[in-house]
Amino acid sequence: MKCRRTGTMRSRERGAAPGRALAILVAGTVAALGPARAEQLSASVRSERGEPVRDAVVYALPEGAAKLNLPAPERVVIDQVDKEFVPYVTPVYVGTRVNFPNRDRIRHHVYSFSPAKTFEIPLYDGMPQRLVAFDRPGEVVLGCNIHDWMKAYVYVVETPYFSVTDGAGLAAIEAPAGDYRVEVWHPRLEGEPEATARTLRLESGAAPRLDFVIAQKRVWSPRRAPASDPDYR
Amino acid sequence: MPQEPRRFQFRSFRARILTFVVGVLLLVQGAVLLSVHAANLRGARQHVNEALELTAAAFRRSLQVREQILVEKARLLSSDFAFKQVAATRDSATIRSALENHSGRVGAQVMMLLDPAGAPLASTLALAAGDAEALGSLVARANDDEFGESSAIELLASAPYQLVIVPLFTPEPSAWIVIGFAVDDALARDLQKETHTDVTLLHSGRDGWNAFSTTLPAGPLRELEQQLPARVPDGSAIASLQIAGEQYVSWIAPIAGADAPLVAVLQRSLDDAMESFLALRGTLFVIFGLGLVVSVAFSALIAGRVTRPVAELARGARRIERGNYADPVTLAQRDELGALATSFNAMMKGLAERDRVRDLLGRVVAPEIAEELLSREIALGGEERRVSVLFTDVRGFTGLSEREEPQRLVAILNTFLTAASNAIESHGGVVEEYMGDGAKALFGAPVSHPDDAQRAVLAGLALAASLPAVNAKVAQLGAQPLAIGIGIHTGEAVAGRMGSLARLKYTVVGDTVNLASRLEGLSARYGVTIIASRAARDECPEILFRELDRVRVTGREKPVAIFEPLGLLAEADADLRERVELHREALARFRAADWEKAAAGFAQLARREPEARLHRVFLERIEALRRAPPGPDWDGTFTHREK
C-alpha cells in the first residue's frame, strides 16, 4: 500500500525517537514476513457530465479471506500550509493516528464536528500535543476556527487498500489478490458510497481497471479572505 | 364731413389704439398664461412623480440596506465557533437558549436553527402550522443562492417578520440559521426618515389589505386599505388617491422577496407638492393683471401723443377752411407728426399765398374772368359768343390830366372807375379791363345770361345815375365835375385767352367790340351819356329808347342806327314818352328830307329840353343840308369823319 506524503517533516516532536524506532521495527517485521504479492487495480472516476473527478477516494474493502492478514495502520500527516489544509482529502485506515503539523507562522485551531470524529486542537503552532486517532469509519470534515475557508476531509475506511484520484481522475491501488468490494467516495458525492460499490476478484497478474461515474451535489463555501490562493478549492 | 360709420367703426383713434393694444395684450398674455399654466401643472405633476420615483428608489435601497445589515448579523453568527459547538450537540433546549442569547445580542425578535432540509431544530418563537411552508420556500431560495443566503418578509405565527437565512458552516454547511426582525410601524417610521413620504406596508388577507407597518394615522390608513386595488400590478405604479379629503400621489409596488402578496405604498400629498406651483400661478395672474393695467395706461398715453397733434392739425385745417391763414399749427415734437406739422404750415403759407394771388387776380381782373382763367388749362384760344360790350370813359380826360396833379388824378379816376365797376358788376357784367380813364365791360362772357344786352344797358343807366354822387366826391377832392360817355353794342365776338402763353389775358375781340367803342366815342357829339346800337336795343324789351341817328362810323361801311336808352319802360312817364315820340317823328321827317317839318319838330323839342344838345345838332345839320342838298340816294345816314 502506498500513502501520499507531501512536504518535509519537521522533527520537532518530543518523544520522536521511540516512535521512529517503533516504525522501523514494524517495517522490519513486515519486510521480514515477506510482502504479500500486490496486484494493481486502477480506477477512473468521472462525473455525470463526463469530467474527470479529482480527490475521489477509491477504496477496496476486502471480503472473505482477504480480510485476514491486514497490516497495521501507519501514521498519517495533514499539514496546514499557507492557511490551507494539505492534502484536501486524506483517506485513512480505521485506527490511524493523524498528526496535524502547523507549517504557518500563525496559529490554527483545528476542529471537527463530524459524528465519525469530533475533536478540536485549540490554537497551536508547530506540532500539536497529541495525535488524533480516527477510530470510526466515515467522513470527517476538518475546519479551522479562525479561518473560515480552511476545509479538508479525512475519510476513514475499514481497509488499508485505497487511493485518491489525481487531476485526470485516475487512481491506482495495490492489493493482494482476493475478493473486494470497491467503492468510491467524494466530498461532493451525491448519495451514499455504498451505492457505488462494485465487487471485484483481484487475480494475480491481472491489472483490472474500474470506471466509476458519480453524481455530485452542489456545495457552497463561506467567503474566502483575500491574499490567499484562490485556486485551492 | 365725417362719414357715417359702416357696420362697426371706431369713433376715435384713441379707442382704436386702446382696443388694439388691449386685444393684442390679452391674446399674447392670455396665450402665455395658458401655456405657462399648463406647463406649470404638467411640470408640477411630473416633479411629484419624479420625486416619488426617487423616493421609491430610496425606499428600495433602504430595504436592501436593512436586509444587508441583517444578513451580515446572521453571517457573523454562522461563523461563531461557540454556536457551532452548540449546534453540534443537536440538543434542542441548549440550542434554543443559545439562540435566545444571540437574538438578544443582535436585537432580533426571532431566531431559528433548521436542519439542511428546512425542518426546525430549535426556535425562539413558537411556530404555527402554516409557517413550515414559508420556511420551506426560504430554504429553497437559499439553496439556489451562490452563497446559500436569502431573505424575505414572511408571516410567522401571523406576524410579519423580515427573515434572513444563512448556512451554518462546520466547516461544511450543516444547518440553516434563520434570524427574523419584526416588521412594525417602527420600520415604516425609519423608512419615512429616509424617503420623506408616508410609508405603508400591507399584506393581502382574506378580508382585503391589512397594513402591518405604517406612518399613517388610523383613519387615513383604513381609507388606503379600502382604496388599494385587489390586484396590484407586478411592477410599480403611481396612482392618485383621495385620502382624508386630500389628494395623495401614491407609489404602489409589491415587495420583492415575499411569497404572500406584500405591498409597499409611498405617499406624498399632492397639495403640498403643488403649493409652490400654485404660488407661481398666482404670481402669473398678478403679473397678467398688472401688465394689462400698465399696458392700457401706456397705450392711452401713446394714443394721446398721436391724437392730440392730429387734433391740432385738424383744427388748423378747419382754420384754413374758414380762410384763416394766420395761425400756424405748433407741435412741440420732432417726430413724423412734427414733420407733418411743418409741412402743414408750409402748405398753409402756400395756400395763403395762393389765396392772396387769387384775391389779387380777382381784383386785377373780374372774379368771373379769374375763375374762367383758373378753371381751364393754360392755353390760348377762344370761342364765338354773343356778347354785349360796354365802353365808358371820362370826357376831356386829356385836359384833366394836364391840369391835375397825379395823386389827385388817380383819386378822381378811382372814384369814377369804382362807380363804373359797381354798376357793371351789380348787373352781372364783367370789367374786362381798365383803359386809363375808362373801362371795358363784357356782358355774356365768360358767364352768359339770357338778358345780357338788357343787363348791359341797365348797367349803363345805373352808371349814369351814379354820376352826381361821383361828382360830389370829385368836388370834395377839389376838382371839376366829370362828364362821361357810355357805348353799348350787342353782337357776335370771339371771347377767350389771347396773347402769348407767357402773357395772356381773357378778352373779347371783333367787330362788335370795335363798334361799341365807336359808339362810346360818339356820345359827346350828341350830348347824350349812353349810346346803344339797334342790336342792343332789340334785346331790351323793358327799356325805353330814343332813336338818335343812323350813322356810318370811321372805318365801317355799313350804317348803323343808334339809340339812347332813357330808362325802364314801366317807369317812363307820359311826358317822356311824348318827347320820344316827337323825336321819332322829327327824325322821320329829317330822313324824308322834309326840312321844314323836321326843323319845326326839333325846335319844339329844343324848347322842351333846353339842355339837350341833341336837338341843336339836328337843327344845325338841317341848316347845312338846306344849303347843300344831298343826292337822290340819301337815306339820312350821317357819316362821322373822326373817331
Side-chain angles (χ1 to χ4, degrees):
Chain A
M1 74 246 65
K2 290 226 187 325
C3 309
R4 275 220 306 217
R5 203 184 290 233
T6 56
T8 54
M9 231 157 65
R10 254 189 318 161
S11 44
R12 233 173 27 94
E13 330 138 342
R14 294 179 294 275
R20 276 182 114 208
L22 185 62
I24 293 166
L25 186 64
V26 167
T29 309
V30 168
L33 281 174
R37 249 313 290 275
E39 306 303 324
Q40 189 92 330
L41 165 67
S42 56
S44 84
V45 179
R46 286 185 175 270
S47 70
E48 282 176 329
R49 279 213 299 268
E51 287 156 1
V53 176
R54 71 181 296 176
D55 292 327
V57 178
V58 183
Y59 55 99
L61 294 160
E63 295 185 319
K67 267 199 186 166
L68 309 163
N69 216 15
L70 290 172
E74 293 189 349
R75 272 203 303 174
V76 163
V77 164
I78 297 178
D79 292 311
Q80 292 146 83
V81 180
D82 193 23
K83 304 195 211 79
E84 294 284 3
F85 288 109
V86 176
Y88 182 57
V89 170
T90 310
V92 299
Y93 185 22
V94 65
T96 303
R97 291 175 37 230
V98 178
N99 198 6
F100 293 91
N102 181 357
R103 308 287 179 194
D104 285 338
R105 272 186 301 202
I106 54 167
R107 296 177 194 213
H108 290 287
H109 177 159
V110 179
Y111 73 91
S112 175
F113 290 114
S114 304
K117 182 69 184 180
T118 300
F119 74 99
E120 66 175 311
I121 312 174
L123 279 177
Y124 73 103
D125 60 356
M127 292 294 174
Q129 299 237 346
R130 284 183 282 283
L131 304 178
V132 179
F134 289 83
D135 300 324
R136 292 215 294 265
E139 170 189 307
V140 177
V141 186
L142 306 174
C144 172
N145 184 26
I146 58 173
H147 304 108
D148 293 334
W149 63 87
M150 283 177 66
K151 187 163 69 174
Y153 293 85
V154 176
Y155 192 58
V156 188
V157 291
E158 291 173 310
T159 169
Y161 310 121
F162 47 70
S163 184
V164 180
T165 59
D166 61 8
L170 302 169
I173 304 171
E174 283 187 7
D179 293 322
Y180 293 94
R181 195 170 79 246
V182 182
E183 290 177 358
V184 172
W185 174 88
H186 185 266
R188 291 188 7 228
L189 177 69
E190 181 92 59
E192 295 301 319
E194 286 78 24
T196 67
R198 306 264 277 277
T199 54
L200 170 76
R201 169 160 296 181
L202 191 59
E203 304 198 339
S204 309
R209 169 168 162 145
L210 290 175
D211 294 311
F212 291 90
V213 175
I214 59 166
Q216 294 183 298
K217 63 184 175 203
R218 211 195 134 201
V219 166
W220 53 86
S221 310
R223 299 153 199 265
R224 197 202 150 93
S228 294
D229 180 4
D231 276 307
Y232 207 90
R233 68 264 172 264
Chain B
M1 277 266 274
Q3 293 175 340
E4 290 305 313
R6 295 183 301 265
R7 287 195 302 266
F8 177 80
Q9 266 198 347
F10 284 99
R11 285 244 162 226
S12 102
F13 183 65
R14 177 182 291 227
R16 177 182 293 189
I17 283 237
L18 265 171
T19 308
F20 174 70
V21 167
V22 168
V24 165
L25 183 80
L26 272 171
L27 261 170
V28 167
Q29 280 222 5
V32 166
L33 186 76
L34 277 172
S35 62
V36 168
H37 181 259
N40 195 13
L41 205 64
R42 246 181 295 122
R45 284 241 153 79
Q46 196 171 332
H47 174 85
V48 168
N49 284 359
E50 274 173 6
L52 211 52
E53 294 273 6
L54 284 173
T55 301
F59 170 79
R60 281 203 191 88
R61 181 96 196 98
S62 221
L63 275 180
Q64 256 180 344
V65 166
R66 271 181 70 91
E67 201 178 276
Q68 276 302 108
I69 293 170
L70 298 183
V71 164
E72 263 155 43
K73 283 184 176 165
R75 265 194 226 129
L76 281 175
L77 180 62
S78 81
S79 323
D80 185 67
F81 187 68
F83 189 73
K84 290 182 200 181
Q85 287 173 315
V86 166
T89 64
R90 282 298 189 268
D91 173 30
S92 179
T94 308
I95 296 171
R96 175 152 162 223
S97 69
L99 288 174
E100 279 162 1
N101 188 44
H102 273 285
S103 61
R105 284 180 185 168
V106 301
Q109 281 76 47
V110 66
M111 273 189 93
M112 293 177 235
L113 192 72
L114 311 174
D115 71 8
L121 294 168
S123 169
T124 60
L125 179 80
L127 297 172
D131 297 337
E133 201 185 314
L135 291 174
S137 70
L138 192 64
V139 166
R141 273 201 297 279
N143 266 319
D144 286 333
D145 182 71
E146 187 191 349
F147 296 106
E149 298 165 352
S150 181
S151 72
I153 298 183
E154 301 280 2
L155 290 170
L156 292 179
S158 305
Y161 290 90
Q162 187 166 22
L163 300 173
V164 294
I165 183 167
V166 297
L168 177 65
F169 292 102
T170 59
E172 254 185 1
S174 59
W176 298 104
I177 299 178
V178 176
I179 309 186
F181 297 83
V183 181
D184 57 9
D185 286 351
L187 170 62
R189 279 196 291 277
D190 268 347
L191 291 169
Q192 185 183 43
K193 286 200 201 101
E194 299 225 9
T195 62
H196 303 289
T197 61
D198 276 309
V199 179
T200 309
L201 305 175
L202 311 107
H203 69 91
S204 155
R206 260 188 306 267
D207 50 350
W209 293 98
N210 292 308
F212 55 86
S213 176
T214 183
T215 56
L216 291 174
L221 179 63
R222 258 194 295 283
E223 280 187 58
L224 174 63
E225 284 172 350
Q226 280 153 14
Q227 287 197 30
L228 271 184
R231 269 187 55 82
V232 168
D234 282 341
S236 61
I238 295 190
S240 188
L241 300 177
Q242 183 95 5
I243 294 183
E246 267 188 62
Q247 278 286 103
Y248 280 89
V249 182
S250 314
W251 176 86
I252 304 167
I255 298 177
D259 263 342
L262 290 183
V263 144
V265 179
L266 304 181
Q267 290 179 294
R268 188 171 263 167
S269 164
L270 184 65
D271 298 335
D272 286 345
M274 291 285 281
E275 227 177 271
S276 61
F277 293 97
L278 289 173
L280 176 63
R281 185 173 73 175
T283 308
L284 278 176
F285 272 122
V286 167
I287 290 176
F288 178 66
L290 273 176
L292 194 69
V293 166
V294 166
S295 300
V296 167
F298 267 111
S299 68
L301 210 72
I302 288 182
R305 287 194 70 83
V306 172
T307 53
R308 258 178 273 112
V310 168
E312 190 64 35
L313 283 164
R315 275 196 290 280
R318 275 198 288 282
R319 284 202 293 274
I320 288 179
E321 202 185 348
R322 287 195 292 272
N324 174 6
Y325 300 105
D327 308 314
V329 170
T330 43
L331 289 182
Q333 50 208 94
R334 296 216 274 173
D335 58 4
E336 292 88 337
L337 287 169
L340 179 63
T342 306
S343 308
F344 186 85
N345 288 337
M347 179 188 78
M348 195 161 78
K349 269 213 196 113
L351 280 174
E353 189 77 22
R354 190 171 72 152
D355 237 32
R356 262 210 307 280
V357 168
R358 260 197 160 194
D359 190 49
L360 194 63
L361 184 66
R363 288 178 210 271
V364 169
V365 301
E368 291 84 344
I369 293 184
E371 198 57 49
E372 163 71 23
L373 285 174
L374 288 169
S375 67
R376 311 253 184 111
E377 300 282 331
I378 305 292
L380 301 173
E383 53 186 354
E384 229 180 85
R385 300 274 280 261
R386 187 166 178 80
V387 297
S388 296
V389 184
L390 184 151
F391 279 90
T392 178
D393 75 349
V394 176
R395 293 200 197 129
F397 179 68
T398 318
L400 188 70
S401 57
E402 196 185 355
R403 281 199 301 279
E404 303 289 343
E405 61 192 28
Q407 295 284 25
R408 194 147 20 142
L409 194 66
V410 167
I412 295 168
L413 266 181
N414 285 346
T415 311
F416 164 62
L417 291 176
T418 306
S421 170
N422 287 343
I424 289 161
E425 285 179 0
S426 63
H427 287 83
V430 163
V431 177
E432 196 209 281
E433 68 175 318
Y434 294 109
M435 307 158 317
D437 63 332
K440 173 182 172 191
L442 302 173
F443 290 79
V447 179
S448 71
H449 307 93
D451 57 346
D452 278 320
Q454 185 156 292
R455 282 169 180 260
V457 171
L458 286 170
L461 285 168
L463 177 55
S466 72
L467 195 56
V470 170
N471 278 333
K473 286 208 188 93
V474 169
Q476 271 180 354
L477 289 168
Q480 298 291 323
L482 302 172
I484 65 172
I486 302 171
I488 304 170
H489 177 50
T490 304
E492 302 292 327
V494 175
R497 294 171 292 295
M498 291 168 213
S500 71
L501 279 173
R503 184 83 40 229
L504 62 81
K505 75 189 279 261
Y506 186 86
T507 191
V508 172
V509 298
D511 183 50
T512 305
V513 176
N514 300 337
L515 184 58
S517 176
R518 293 274 187 271
L519 291 181
E520 189 261 320
L522 282 180
S523 63
R525 295 279 178 92
Y526 293 89
V528 299
T529 308
I530 313 171
I531 296 186
S533 65
R534 180 192 289 283
R537 187 208 75 158
D538 286 346
E539 291 188 25
C540 299
E542 292 168 22
I543 301 180
L544 179 65
F545 286 85
R546 172 160 58 192
E547 187 177 351
L548 294 172
D549 198 355
R550 193 184 299 126
V551 298
R552 205 177 273 116
V553 295
T554 323
R556 289 176 62 110
E557 272 300 316
K558 227 173 138 196
V560 59
I562 57 178
F563 299 79
E564 183 198 1
L566 296 168
L568 287 169
L569 257 173
E571 292 171 12
D573 61 8
D575 181 59
L576 186 61
R577 283 179 211 261
E578 207 188 309
R579 278 186 271 135
V580 167
E581 190 53 38
L582 281 174
H583 187 85
R584 193 187 60 74
E585 269 183 34
L587 201 57
R589 301 239 193 272
F590 173 77
R591 287 179 186 146
D594 187 351
W595 311 127
E596 287 289 337
K597 292 245 175 65
F602 284 117
Q604 188 186 5
L605 281 166
R607 278 198 292 280
R608 284 174 82 152
E609 297 171 350
E611 303 87 28
R613 201 165 159 230
L614 177 67
H615 314 301
R616 280 198 294 283
V617 166
F618 274 100
L619 286 171
E620 281 166 18
R621 213 186 278 177
I622 290 169
E623 270 302 314
L625 283 168
R626 268 188 187 151
R627 280 200 293 277
D633 48 355
W634 184 82
D635 60 351
T637 306
F638 184 79
T639 306
H640 286 273
R641 299 273 178 237
E642 318 123 14
K643 183 173 171 335

